[in-house]
Amino acid sequence: MSNRLLTISIPTYCRPEYLVECLDALLISSRSLSKSDLAQIEVCVFDNSEDDDRSRLVCESNCYTPLNLLYKKNMDNIGSDKNILQSLLAPKSRYVAIMSDDDFVETKYFSHILRTINDFDPDIIFLKAYGLTGKNDLIRPLNFSKNKIFTSPIPLLFDRLIQVGFVSTAVYRRDKIDDSVVQDS
Protein backbone atom coordinates (compact mmCIF):
# COMPACT_ATOMS: atom_id res chain seq x y z
CA MET A 1 0.00 0.00 0.00
CA SER A 2 1.16 3.55 -0.68
CA ASN A 3 0.93 6.30 1.88
CA ARG A 4 -2.04 7.81 -0.01
CA LEU A 5 -5.54 7.42 1.30
CA LEU A 6 -7.37 7.88 -2.01
CA THR A 7 -6.54 7.42 -5.68
CA ILE A 8 -8.81 8.73 -8.41
CA SER A 9 -8.07 6.54 -11.45
CA ILE A 10 -9.04 7.91 -14.84
CA PRO A 11 -8.93 5.54 -17.83
CA THR A 12 -8.85 7.49 -21.07
CA TYR A 13 -8.60 6.99 -24.82
CA CYS A 14 -8.08 9.85 -27.31
CA ARG A 15 -10.29 12.36 -25.49
CA PRO A 16 -7.99 15.09 -24.13
CA GLU A 17 -10.72 17.73 -24.32
CA TYR A 18 -12.84 15.71 -21.85
CA LEU A 19 -9.82 14.89 -19.70
CA VAL A 20 -9.11 18.61 -19.27
CA GLU A 21 -12.65 19.24 -18.00
CA CYS A 22 -12.48 16.25 -15.67
CA LEU A 23 -9.11 17.30 -14.22
CA ASP A 24 -10.26 20.91 -13.92
CA ALA A 25 -13.29 19.81 -11.86
CA LEU A 26 -11.05 17.70 -9.61
CA LEU A 27 -8.70 20.65 -9.21
CA ILE A 28 -11.57 22.92 -8.17
CA SER A 29 -12.73 20.32 -5.64
CA SER A 30 -9.21 19.98 -4.26
CA ARG A 31 -9.01 23.68 -3.42
CA SER A 32 -11.24 23.23 -0.39
CA LEU A 33 -8.80 20.74 1.20
CA SER A 34 -6.04 21.39 3.69
CA LYS A 35 -2.48 20.62 2.62
CA SER A 36 -2.46 17.48 4.78
CA ASP A 37 -5.71 16.22 3.22
CA LEU A 38 -4.47 17.04 -0.27
CA ALA A 39 -1.28 15.07 0.39
CA GLN A 40 -3.45 11.96 0.97
CA ILE A 41 -4.92 12.10 -2.55
CA GLU A 42 -3.52 11.25 -5.96
CA VAL A 43 -4.99 11.23 -9.43
CA CYS A 44 -3.75 8.62 -11.94
CA VAL A 45 -4.50 8.79 -15.66
CA PHE A 46 -4.30 5.49 -17.57
CA ASP A 47 -3.94 6.38 -21.24
CA ASN A 48 -4.93 3.61 -23.65
CA SER A 49 -4.29 5.57 -26.87
CA GLU A 50 -1.01 4.17 -28.11
CA ASP A 51 -0.55 6.61 -31.02
CA ASP A 52 -1.89 9.81 -29.45
CA ASP A 53 0.12 11.92 -26.98
CA ARG A 54 -2.45 14.66 -26.37
CA SER A 55 -3.52 13.24 -22.98
CA ARG A 56 0.12 13.12 -21.86
CA LEU A 57 0.48 16.79 -22.78
CA VAL A 58 -2.60 17.61 -20.71
CA CYS A 59 -1.20 15.72 -17.71
CA GLU A 60 2.17 17.46 -17.97
CA SER A 61 0.54 20.83 -17.38
CA ASN A 62 1.85 22.35 -14.14
CA CYS A 63 -1.62 23.49 -13.14
CA TYR A 64 -2.47 19.91 -12.08
CA THR A 65 0.46 19.57 -9.66
CA PRO A 66 -1.81 19.94 -6.58
CA LEU A 67 -3.61 16.73 -7.63
CA ASN A 68 -0.43 14.66 -7.24
CA LEU A 69 -1.08 13.61 -10.82
CA LEU A 70 0.51 10.43 -12.20
CA TYR A 71 0.33 9.43 -15.85
CA LYS A 72 0.65 5.91 -17.27
CA LYS A 73 0.58 5.23 -20.99
CA ASN A 74 -0.10 1.71 -22.22
CA MET A 75 2.41 0.52 -24.83
CA ASP A 76 -0.47 -1.03 -26.81
CA ASN A 77 -4.22 -0.50 -26.78
CA ILE A 78 -5.36 -3.11 -24.25
CA GLY A 79 -9.08 -2.39 -24.74
CA SER A 80 -11.40 -0.37 -22.53
CA ASP A 81 -12.31 -3.20 -20.14
CA LYS A 82 -8.68 -4.03 -19.35
CA ASN A 83 -7.80 -0.36 -19.03
CA ILE A 84 -10.63 0.12 -16.52
CA LEU A 85 -9.53 -3.00 -14.65
CA GLN A 86 -5.94 -1.76 -14.60
CA SER A 87 -7.22 1.55 -13.25
CA LEU A 88 -8.86 -0.30 -10.39
CA LEU A 89 -6.04 -2.73 -9.56
CA ALA A 90 -2.87 -0.66 -10.08
CA PRO A 91 -3.30 1.92 -7.29
CA LYS A 92 -1.88 0.97 -3.90
CA SER A 93 -3.69 3.62 -1.89
CA ARG A 94 -6.21 2.60 0.77
CA TYR A 95 -9.20 3.60 -1.40
CA VAL A 96 -9.59 3.83 -5.16
CA ALA A 97 -12.27 5.41 -7.33
CA ILE A 98 -12.52 5.01 -11.09
CA MET A 99 -13.67 8.13 -12.87
CA SER A 100 -14.48 8.25 -16.53
CA ASP A 101 -12.59 10.95 -18.41
CA ASP A 102 -15.88 12.64 -19.32
CA ASP A 103 -17.31 12.75 -15.80
CA PHE A 104 -17.55 15.78 -13.58
CA VAL A 105 -17.49 16.16 -9.82
CA GLU A 106 -19.10 18.71 -7.58
CA THR A 107 -16.99 21.23 -5.68
CA LYS A 108 -17.20 19.31 -2.39
CA TYR A 109 -16.39 15.90 -3.92
CA PHE A 110 -13.11 15.35 -2.08
CA SER A 111 -14.26 16.73 1.26
CA HIS A 112 -17.38 14.51 1.21
CA ILE A 113 -15.37 11.38 0.40
CA LEU A 114 -12.65 12.09 2.97
CA ARG A 115 -15.24 12.80 5.68
CA THR A 116 -17.06 9.55 4.87
CA ILE A 117 -13.82 7.56 4.96
CA ASN A 118 -12.72 9.13 8.23
CA ASP A 119 -16.14 8.81 9.91
CA PHE A 120 -17.11 5.30 8.78
CA ASP A 121 -14.08 3.49 7.25
CA PRO A 122 -16.45 1.78 4.76
CA ASP A 123 -15.61 -1.02 2.35
CA ILE A 124 -17.39 0.81 -0.47
CA ILE A 125 -18.93 4.25 -0.94
CA PHE A 126 -21.62 4.80 -3.56
CA LEU A 127 -21.97 8.33 -4.83
CA LYS A 128 -25.03 9.87 -6.38
CA ALA A 129 -24.76 10.43 -10.15
CA TYR A 130 -26.63 13.25 -11.86
CA GLY A 131 -25.95 12.50 -15.49
CA LEU A 132 -22.90 12.91 -17.64
CA THR A 133 -23.52 15.44 -20.34
CA GLY A 134 -20.48 17.70 -20.44
CA LYS A 135 -22.82 20.68 -20.68
CA ASN A 136 -22.18 23.41 -18.14
CA ASP A 137 -25.62 24.96 -18.54
CA LEU A 138 -27.47 22.12 -16.82
CA ILE A 139 -28.64 22.60 -13.27
CA ARG A 140 -26.93 20.18 -10.91
CA PRO A 141 -27.58 19.78 -7.21
CA LEU A 142 -25.06 21.71 -5.13
CA ASN A 143 -24.93 19.16 -2.30
CA PHE A 144 -24.74 15.43 -1.93
CA SER A 145 -27.86 13.91 -0.45
CA LYS A 146 -27.80 12.74 3.15
CA ASN A 147 -25.47 9.81 3.77
CA LYS A 148 -27.09 6.41 3.86
CA ILE A 149 -25.63 3.43 5.66
CA PHE A 150 -26.65 0.00 4.37
CA THR A 151 -26.26 -3.06 6.57
CA SER A 152 -27.57 -5.60 4.08
CA PRO A 153 -27.33 -5.91 0.29
CA ILE A 154 -31.04 -5.90 -0.62
CA PRO A 155 -31.82 -2.27 0.31
CA LEU A 156 -28.51 -1.24 -1.22
CA LEU A 157 -29.36 -2.87 -4.54
CA PHE A 158 -32.78 -1.26 -4.69
CA ASP A 159 -31.36 2.14 -3.81
CA ARG A 160 -28.48 1.92 -6.31
CA LEU A 161 -30.28 0.15 -9.17
CA ILE A 162 -30.63 3.34 -11.17
CA GLN A 163 -26.89 4.01 -10.87
CA VAL A 164 -25.36 0.74 -12.09
CA GLY A 165 -24.36 2.13 -15.48
CA PHE A 166 -22.11 4.83 -14.06
CA VAL A 167 -18.53 3.68 -13.46
CA SER A 168 -17.76 6.83 -11.48
CA THR A 169 -20.24 6.32 -8.66
CA ALA A 170 -18.18 4.13 -6.33
CA VAL A 171 -15.12 4.40 -4.13
CA TYR A 172 -13.63 1.05 -3.13
CA ARG A 173 -11.48 0.06 -0.21
CA ARG A 174 -8.50 -1.38 -2.08
CA ASP A 175 -7.75 -4.26 0.31
CA LYS A 176 -11.29 -5.58 -0.26
CA ILE A 177 -10.71 -6.03 -3.98
CA ASP A 178 -9.61 -9.61 -4.59
CA ASP A 179 -7.06 -9.54 -7.41
CA SER A 180 -7.10 -13.34 -7.65
CA VAL A 181 -10.51 -13.41 -9.32
CA VAL A 182 -9.18 -11.50 -12.30
CA GLN A 183 -8.21 -13.79 -15.14
CA ASP A 184 -6.45 -12.81 -18.31
CA SER A 185 -8.84 -13.29 -21.21
Side-chain angles (χ1 to χ4, degrees), residues 26-95:
L26 288 169
L27 189 60
I28 290 168
S29 179
S30 75
R31 291 184 182 142
S32 66
L33 299 177
S34 68
K35 285 185 181 183
S36 62
D37 282 345
L38 194 53
Q40 295 182 66
I41 295 170
E42 67 185 358
V43 174
C44 297
V45 174
F46 293 86
D47 189 355
N48 204 29
S49 49
E50 71 277 7
D51 295 329
D52 186 343
D53 282 336
R54 295 176 298 158
S55 292
R56 178 185 54 79
L57 295 173
V58 167
C59 292
E60 288 178 351
S61 171
N62 289 335
C63 70
Y64 300 120
T65 302
L67 295 175
N68 303 308
L69 184 64
L70 302 171
Y71 174 81
K72 181 188 182 307
K73 182 154 182 97
N74 295 325
M75 298 300 285
D76 297 306
N77 182 335
I78 61 174
S80 62
D81 290 344
K82 285 186 179 180
N83 199 34
I84 291 170
L85 183 62
Q86 168 184 254
S87 301
L88 180 64
L89 298 178
K92 302 302 178 203
S93 57
R94 187 154 185 221
Y95 287 87

Side-chain angles (χ1 to χ4, degrees), residues 95 114-123 147 149 173:
Y95 287 87
L114 292 178
R115 186 173 54 244
T116 301
I117 289 171
N118 291 325
D119 289 352
F120 301 104
D121 192 29
D123 291 344
N147 292 332
I149 305 297
R173 192 162 141 180

Side-chain angles (χ1 to χ4, degrees), residues 103-123:
D103 287 358
F104 60 85
V105 297
E106 298 298 336
T107 57
K108 300 291 184 179
Y109 175 78
F110 283 124
S111 56
H112 284 293
I113 290 174
L114 292 178
R115 186 173 54 244
T116 301
I117 289 171
N118 291 325
D119 289 352
F120 301 104
D121 192 29
D123 291 344

